[in-house]
Amino acid sequence: MNRTSLATSMCVLTMAGWAAAAGAGAPLADTRPLEWPEADLSGRLMDGAHRFIEEQIRAARAQRSRFWKYDTSSRQAYEASVAENRQQLRQIIGAVDSRLPARMEQFGDDAKDSQVRNYALGDPNPALVAETPLYRVYQVRWPVLDGVLGEGLLVQPRAVPSAHVVVVPDADQTPEQILGLAPGVAPELQFARRLAEQGFELVIPTLVSRRKLETDDPAVKKSDQTYREWIYRQAYHMGRHIIGYEVQKVLAAVDWLEKRQASAKIGVLGYAEGGLIAFYAAALDARIDAVLVSGYFDSRESVWAEPIYRNVWSLLQRFGDAEIASLILPRSLVVEYSPAPTVTGHKGDWRTPEYRSVAQEFERIPVAAGFAKPVLVHNDGHPTGPGSVRALEEFAQRLGVRTPMSLSTEIPADRRTAFRPEERHDRAVQELENHVQALVRESEHVRDRLFMYKVMPELADRRWSTQRRHDTHPVEKFIDGARRFREQFYTEAMGHFDQPFLAPNPRTRLVLETEKWTAYDVVLDVFPELFAWGVLVVPKDLRPGERRPVVVCQHGRNGLPRDTIDAHSTAYNDFAARLAERGFITFAPHNLYRGEDRYRWLCRKANTVKATLFSFIVAQHDQILRWLETLPFVDGKRMAFYGLSYGGETAVRVPPILERYSLSICSGDFNQWTHKVAATDETFSFMRTIEWEMPYWNLGQTFDYAEMVYLMVPRPFMVERGHLDAVGEDRWVAHEYAKVRWLYTQLGIADRTQIEFFQGGHSINGEGTFEFLHKHLNWPPPAN
């Protein structure tokens, strides 16, 4: 079950409060008056954040050249000059697992020992699918990764093959359709059949479909996912990708083709989604001599608006399609401007781009003397194909084959009577899901090896002991060892904007007053177009010259700052106001996760330039803390964080990075986050909800909540957990927190961490946490 939306309607204030609000407007001392209406601030902040990230995307293209230093003096020099970028592409599409040894298995009722024997006409599912005077067609599968097979068709000419090609159909096409074995593709567009009739040996894999996920689970059905998104979501969090998996299937087929004949010419051809896969496969593997990309090539500056399963972490920092094409050089590339499928409602849309956009991107591909010059095939600026005669002829020539690409009228007939393509597709989906879920289960051990074993190996050495007491370990050594992981967490997991802060230029106004405190709206500049907004609550019993601790009180999803102060919500229980009544200064920031899909699209845009929603939030909190510590009544050494729900999520992401936070309390969120985001067998998982922004690239393999808290050592940390909070389950919360408690104990600081379970739900309990704040901020609790 998903965390609930925490936005609530405002309740009636006391008469004194309403009177103060009616006369609102007086600014805090030494600040300018805030003139923007309070009702506009949330939307204004979101609008500015979108403008800011769109400018970052534009700047990324202009700055991309810093990653590319082409050396065209020789093929060897060129390959060396692009090697780092090729490896980076491999990483960000998740094509990182070692493939299994090459093998191709023909299978069916008449196949034995991986060889075809005794083709019986009565077999309902024969290995020999079809044959013509020119070629035979077999159903085949080939090993790719542990538990993952490629599956599709193998076309073998009766004569010596002209060349060898992996043909990748669109995600909504089957191998049978582009070969003419099944209806759905017009004969003149059956480009696999054209190649088969010209003597090419073909391997045609099946891709995961764009169809809506078929399920009886009402929660999953409501999440409105396609099969491609289903794999994308879980894989992305584990450093894998639907794109990378399908590229691996193509490259495993290339492994087999090369193994049989090392000197053979090998090509890859793909249309639409298959064009993307063919394009990326050729960019990664220099064994591919030529590639035909049909219906995909374009400027990718708006890739964030394409279907969600196209989201690739940090893509636009280094890569547009021209840069990916440069990884194919000096080998041969043919781009066909063909009609793309119209795809809408997939958390992004896709249509045939304008020819001008394609041509401009194509012109950016570097050209060098002695290198094969890329070819753009089109119909006088209009789409052609897919698989037009000219495009196929250009492609074939680059494999050393000159042929007119004529097409006969003889259409092959499928002999199978029991074949259902849906079953083959479902096997492919299940195999990929199984592979990802194995990564989810193993991830805890992977993170231990990457983090704990490297920070303090002696902590990882947990031998059997009967000793009653053990010495603790020096906390300073752990802090020193964890520093590089804090930087990794910031730059590689959360993402950050590498630019200086603006002067804060504080603007404030009084918005609410009671007999115990005064509250001010505060707006601070952060970056161009991006500002921070929150409500500062100042107790009235401050003595001249006194500096008090601050508690930053963070709302959750769809919330507003005032929800934590005077909304009388049963979730927040006015905890920012209650803490102010206890003498703390409180500040309730507005975080950007409001407006449902508007913040999801913001995160999606940010992903393209190696940033996330928390890249904005960290910057805003950084500026807030810098400003707070300048106030004459604030003790900058005692600034704490306390957040509920998405605010609890913030509690384990922002304080690990911003060391100005002296402690952190996570309420209504602490979890075994890898399972929360990527597990398909947990009822509380985001795999079952609408929250498609939750997967963060490779986070499951690098940082879960325990590792995030490790980055806060030696600062105090607390978890507030309602037994009935459906955001997670006690067993997973306790499991993850036990690692935190264990580390703090080994470092001799067990008194700095705590968990409080209470008989309640998704809400601020405000009992043990308040005591924790008083203790660790060294502020006396009220006498009563």
Side-chain angles (χ1 to χ4, degrees):
M1 182 174 177
N2 175 36
R3 57 162 65 91
T4 56
S5 176
L6 298 176
T8 56
S9 60
M10 301 297 289
C11 296
V12 178
L13 303 174
T14 63
M15 290 303 293
W18 273 120
L28 192 66
D30 300 321
T31 66
R32 294 169 49 206
L34 175 60
E35 298 176 352
W36 295 338
E38 185 174 15
D40 293 348
L41 286 173
S42 176
R44 186 185 289 262
L45 199 161
M46 181 64 74
D47 291 343
H50 275 275
R51 290 193 297 271
F52 170 77
I53 197 60
E54 287 163 10
E55 179 55 36
Q56 297 302 301
I57 292 171
R58 285 189 288 271
R61 176 167 178 161
Q63 298 166 6
R64 201 174 290 155
S65 60
R66 73 186 190 274
F67 296 108
W68 297 86
K69 306 299 178 186
Y70 299 114
D71 184 347
T72 59
S73 59
S74 68
R75 177 168 184 156
Q76 185 178 14
Y78 185 83
E79 292 287 355
S81 72
V82 301
E84 181 182 340
N85 288 316
R86 177 174 286 131
Q87 181 59 24
Q88 182 67 14
L89 180 63
R90 188 184 307 277
Q91 290 288 334
I92 64 177
I93 66 169
V96 294
D97 298 293
S98 298
R99 293 189 297 278
L100 296 175
R103 184 165 56 88
M104 187 67 66
E105 176 187 350
Q106 300 170 355
F107 71 97
D109 295 338
D110 55 358
K112 299 177 182 178
D113 301 324
S114 302
Q115 299 295 322
V116 177
R117 310 207 188 276
N118 303 322
Y119 304 125
L121 293 178
D123 287 334
N125 187 35
L128 180 64
V129 171
E131 60 182 330
T132 75
L134 297 175
Y135 56 86
R136 292 188 176 97
V137 182
Y138 303 99
Q139 57 180 348
V140 291
R141 57 193 172 208
W142 57 99
V144 182
L145 308 173
D146 187 23
V148 177
L149 299 172
E151 193 169 339
L153 298 177
L154 170 66
V155 180
Q156 292 191 313
R158 292 181 182 270
V160 176
S162 305
H164 311 270
V165 178
V166 182
V167 182
V168 193
D170 177 45
D172 285 342
Q173 294 176 331
T174 66
E176 288 75 14
Q177 287 175 320
I178 62 172
L179 195 58
L181 287 167
V185 173
E188 66 275 12
L189 301 180
Q190 295 167 3
F191 45 88
R193 184 159 71 93
R194 282 189 188 272
L195 291 171
E197 291 190 358
Q198 304 307 314
F200 288 80
E201 181 179 48
L202 311 177
V203 178
I204 314 175
T206 301
L207 297 191
V208 173
S209 170
R210 296 190 200 91
R211 287 185 291 113
K212 293 292 184 182
L213 191 65
E214 295 177 9
T215 175
D216 295 327
D217 187 318
V220 175
K221 188 174 293 186
K222 189 176 179 181
S223 71
D224 191 32
Q225 298 182 62
T226 64
Y227 282 101
R228 292 190 76 78
E229 183 185 349
W230 177 254
I231 299 300
Y232 156 80
R233 276 203 200 185
Q234 57 189 283
Y236 191 88
H237 198 74
M238 306 309 299
R240 305 301 191 274
H241 205 292
I242 181 68
I243 293 172
Y245 277 127
E246 293 183 333
V247 165
Q248 291 276 56
K249 291 187 178 186
V250 170
L251 297 184
V254 172
D255 293 341
W256 178 75
L257 291 171
E258 185 200 34
K259 179 182 177 181
R260 290 168 64 244
Q261 191 174 348
S263 61
K265 289 283 190 179
I266 298 175
V268 176
L269 178 163
Y271 167 60
E273 217 70 47
L276 183 163
I277 303 304
F279 190 37
Y280 281 36
L284 294 186
D285 199 325
R287 298 174 302 169
I288 296 170
D289 297 291
V291 59
L292 168 54
V293 178
S294 178
Y296 173 73
F297 191 92
D298 188 18
S299 165
R300 297 260 85 87
E301 308 312 310
S302 295
V303 65
W304 57 266
E306 296 178 24
I308 184 66
Y309 38 81
R310 298 271 188 88
N311 183 42
V312 174
W313 173 248
S314 78
L315 180 71
L316 296 183
Q317 271 199 332
R318 291 180 186 241
F319 303 104
D321 277 6
E323 284 77 19
I324 291 173
S326 75
L327 296 177
I328 296 170
L329 301 179
R331 295 166 290 134
S332 297
L333 167 65
V334 178
V335 173
E336 182 181 43
Y337 177 51
S338 66
T342 298
V343 179
T344 59
H346 289 197
K347 284 91 173 176
D349 303 331
W350 187 39
R351 297 176 176 83
T352 305
E354 295 292 328
Y355 173 72
R356 181 181 177 185
S357 174
V358 175
Q360 286 178 343
E361 186 70 11
F362 184 84
E363 288 300 316
R364 292 201 314 110
I365 301 173
V367 177
F371 287 8
K373 186 176 181 180
V375 175
L376 175 60
V377 176
H378 56 96
N379 181 19
D380 194 25
H382 298 283
T384 185
S388 65
V389 169
R390 187 190 160 200
L392 292 175
E393 288 176 349
E394 293 279 3
F395 174 63
Q397 287 175 25
R398 282 150 182 80
L399 291 172
V401 180
R402 294 190 174 274
T403 175
M405 286 295 166
S406 57
L407 190 66
S408 74
T409 57
E410 184 172 353
I411 298 177
D414 196 329
R415 294 177 171 183
R416 297 169 295 183
T417 58
F419 172 68
R420 294 183 67 249
E422 297 84 2
E423 293 177 355
R424 178 180 61 194
H425 174 264
D426 291 348
R427 283 195 298 272
V429 172
Q430 191 61 58
E431 287 168 5
L432 294 182
E433 180 176 337
N434 291 346
H435 192 269
V436 178
Q437 294 308 302
L439 296 174
V440 171
R441 291 189 296 273
E442 177 64 17
S443 62
E444 186 169 31
H445 307 298
V446 172
R447 293 190 301 273
D448 276 346
R449 290 193 294 269
L450 290 176
F451 192 107
M452 189 66 75
Y453 286 31
K454 294 183 179 180
V455 173
M456 273 181 97
E458 57 267 41
L459 289 177
D461 184 13
R462 304 185 189 181
R463 299 179 186 178
W464 180 267
S465 172
T466 58
Q467 229 176 290
R468 184 170 179 268
R469 288 281 187 268
H470 278 265
D471 292 336
T472 57
H473 299 269
V475 69
E476 295 78 13
K477 183 177 179 181
F478 186 89
I479 295 168
D480 186 59
R483 282 196 180 96
R484 68 185 179 94
F485 290 95
R486 181 180 294 111
E487 180 63 23
Q488 177 189 343
F489 179 65
Y490 192 11
T491 60
E492 301 299 325
M494 298 297 102
H496 79 286
F497 300 117
D498 187 16
Q499 62 181 80
F501 286 107
L502 298 175
N505 185 25
R507 287 89 78 199
T508 67
R509 65 163 162 252
L510 188 150
V511 291
L512 188 64
E513 188 171 9
T514 71
E515 61 183 20
K516 292 189 176 182
W517 46 257
T518 308
Y520 299 86
D521 266 335
V522 178
V523 166
L524 307 171
D525 292 334
V526 180
F527 298 136
E529 300 288 358
L530 181 67
F531 65 90
W533 162 49
V535 177
L536 176 70
V537 185
V538 183
K540 287 187 171 180
D541 61 351
L542 276 167
R543 296 185 299 274
E546 182 182 21
R547 290 181 178 270
R548 291 195 184 179
V550 175
V551 182
V552 173
C553 301
Q554 189 62 66
H555 66 75
R557 173 183 161 210
N558 280 335
L560 290 166
R562 292 270 290 266
D563 291 346
T564 70
I565 299 169
D566 64 329
H568 310 322
S569 154
T570 57
Y572 295 109
N573 294 305
D574 298 343
F575 75 113
R578 289 166 59 203
L579 287 168
E581 290 167 1
R582 288 170 167 257
F584 295 102
I585 295 161
T586 64
F587 189 91
H590 182 64
N591 276 2
L592 280 160
Y593 35 71
R594 185 170 187 263
E596 287 304 348
D597 280 1
R598 286 215 69 198
Y599 71 82
R600 296 191 176 104
W601 284 110
L602 182 67
C603 191
R604 176 80 187 280
K605 291 176 181 179
N607 279 185
T608 67
V609 290
K610 201 177 180 180
T612 67
L613 193 64
F614 278 98
S615 305
F616 301 87
I617 293 170
V618 169
Q620 290 169 316
H621 278 249
D622 199 350
Q623 188 75 312
I624 288 167
L625 294 179
R626 291 168 188 265
W627 177 74
L628 283 172
E629 67 181 5
T630 68
L631 299 179
F633 46 82
V634 165
D635 183 348
K637 301 297 184 185
R638 293 186 291 169
M639 296 191 292
F641 186 96
Y642 185 179
L644 172 68
S645 192
Y646 226 133
E649 187 173 333
T650 308
V652 291
R653 285 161 176 76
V654 174
I657 295 168
L658 301 182
E659 295 182 81
R660 282 185 172 88
Y661 277 122
S662 62
L663 71 79
S664 182
I665 299 174
C666 175
S667 178
D669 181 76
F670 195 86
N671 234 309
Q672 214 293 328
W673 196 249
T674 307
H675 284 77
K676 173 69 176 174
V677 174
T680 57
D681 60 349
E682 295 286 359
T683 57
F684 64 88
S685 170
F686 285 124
M687 287 298 299
R688 301 162 53 82
T689 76
I690 64 170
E691 287 162 289
W692 46 265
E693 86 287 0
M694 282 300 176
Y696 274 40
W697 175 249
N698 203 28
L699 196 63
Q701 299 276 45
T702 52
F703 297 94
D704 209 301
Y705 275 23
E707 289 78 23
M708 295 179 201
V709 177
Y710 296 166
L711 299 177
M712 285 189 256
V713 168
R715 291 171 284 164
F717 173 75
M718 183 174 179
V719 173
E720 185 175 50
R721 163 71 189 170
H723 285 303
L724 305 179
D725 187 348
V727 77
E729 296 181 4
D730 281 359
R731 62 190 177 98
W732 282 121
V733 176
H735 170 89
E736 194 70 7
Y737 177 74
K739 294 188 281 186
V740 173
R741 175 75 183 183
W742 182 88
L743 177 63
Y744 273 62
T745 301
Q746 301 313 304
L747 298 177
I749 53 174
D751 62 327
R752 299 187 193 179
T753 189
Q754 184 177 332
I755 188 168
E756 180 186 58
F757 290 94
F758 65 94
Q759 183 60 14
H762 195 62
S763 65
I764 295 287
N765 189 43
E767 294 183 7
T769 52
F770 284 15
E771 294 173 5
F772 192 79
L773 288 166
H774 281 290
K775 174 183 176 181
H776 292 287
L777 293 178
N778 193 25
W779 183 252
N784 60 355

